[in-house]
DNA sequence: ACATTACCGTTCGGACCCAAATTGTACGAA
DNA sequence: TTCGTACAATTTGGGTCCGAACGGTAATGT
């Protein structure tokens, strides 16, 4: 492990400002850089390949999930795409209107809706995904294959940690307190 | 959780589906996991510490930037927070209305607006940030300090790559073609 | 049989987000 | 002085996003 990598100016300032407060610096840096990287990568991909096909990031992710998994129930697609059910409803409707996606009822359970790609959707993904992957390679250009694997593995462990222990942790933190509703979103119904 | 689809399973399916297409798999995995991790971490932090203080993710990031950097010009805050200037105007107005942030004019350049925290804002950050950092430590619990440094360093190189060569790359890809405007956003005024 | 409970996708309200258009300040040139 | 250009933040318009409430279907009492 090479000794001292360049630390951003922000991280140095933070360390100074937080001089008096005990801080887990490495963990702070990893979280901060996850979001920096996510934002930078997303912006690059949107502005290079996605805009050319008139797709938003979310729309592309939804198409990708259904492409890879095949016909799927909406809740699984939302989960896998990392968006809420409500958001998926709108995105799926848009994609359906553009002829890229199909919405079908479940044969035995009337509550479910199944999503699948149309032929046009399949064709789009076969055309767009290679371009997308090309830009993934570009953004990761400074990492060799081993480093990619190593970083991906570290991130996978972060995701696993939250998926496996996140809810329990949140319960423990609130410890019986009210879940504290969001500032935005629909107001709870005034209880009788 | 029956039928739960784990990450590694998704990656295996992708590899199968893409069997015929030549793909940079390691680079694909790193990008995918950056976004999975970003989404998981953000959701955990919003639902654990941020909601309790009635802060959105964006509002917290803006407060954090001004806290760390001290009184700053809005364009720098927007840049550092990773949001557009227009978005910042709204967020700053909300935070000002809640008494957490102050907006002042620049002493010599009347075009600039300076943001700074009020005493109440400072106090909020001194109270909330340690909780926030505690959860940063939680999500990174499966990584030791060296692994955190290593992952953070890899991500930093991704950010640097996009920041330094992204625009050039996009120009090369479009190669003189129109920038292809967004589906959303205000329409350009039709030029006479 | 019928009420209850559980779960699913959709609707709705408020906040967020970008980028174009707008408004306003600064400053050098004519 | 009066332009004109440059650059600042803000407003505006189209749209995304989450999560509570909603309406509907399935499963489970009783």
């Amino acid at each position: 492990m090479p000794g001292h990598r360049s630390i951003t100016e922000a991280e140095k300032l933070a360390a100074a400002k937080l001089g008096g407060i005990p801080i887990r610096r490495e963990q702070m840096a990893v979280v901060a850089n996850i979001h920096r990287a996510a934002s930078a990568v997303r912006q690059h991909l949107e502005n290079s390949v996605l805009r050319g096909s008139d797709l938003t990031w979310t729309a592309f992710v939804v198409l990708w999930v259904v492409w890879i998994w095949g016909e799927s129930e909406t809740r699984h697609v939302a989960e896998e795409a990392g968006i809420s059910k409500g958001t998926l409803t709108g995105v799926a409707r848009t994609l359906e209107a553009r002829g890229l996606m199909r919405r079908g009822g479940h044969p035995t359970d009337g509550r479910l809706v199944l999503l699948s790609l149309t032929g046009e959707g399949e064709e789009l993904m076969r055309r767009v995904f290679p371009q997308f992957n090309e830009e993934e390679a570009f953004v990761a250009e400074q990492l060799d294959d081993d480093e990619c694997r190593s970083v991906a593995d570290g991130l996978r462990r972060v995701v696993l940690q939250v998926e496996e222990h996140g809810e329990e942790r949140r319960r423990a933190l609130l410890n019986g307190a009210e879940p504290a509703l969001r500032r935005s979103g629909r107001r709870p119904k005034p209880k009788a």
Side-chain angles (χ1 to χ4, degrees), chain A residues 7-19 21-37 158:
Chain A
I7 265 185
T8 66
E9 187 69 17
E11 285 173 17
K12 267 186 278 184
L13 268 178
K17 174 80 187 185
L18 301 169
I21 310 178
I23 286 297
R24 309 283 228 91
R25 290 168 199 249
E26 285 77 17
Q27 289 76 7
M28 177 176 89
V30 94
V31 168
N33 282 297
I34 284 172
H35 288 94
R36 271 187 235 277
V158 169

Side-chain angles (χ1 to χ4, degrees), chain A residues 38-56:
Chain A
S39 163
V41 167
R42 174 173 171 164
Q43 207 159 330
H44 176 74
L45 284 162
E46 283 180 338
N47 291 336
S48 55
V49 329
L50 262 28
R51 287 245 291 248
S53 300
D54 198 17
L55 291 172
T56 64

Side-chain angles (χ1 to χ4, degrees), chain A residues 71 103-115:
Chain A
E71 185 172 59
R103 297 142 61 77
H106 191 280
T108 69
D109 192 332
R111 296 171 300 178
L112 302 179
V113 170
L114 297 175
L115 298 180

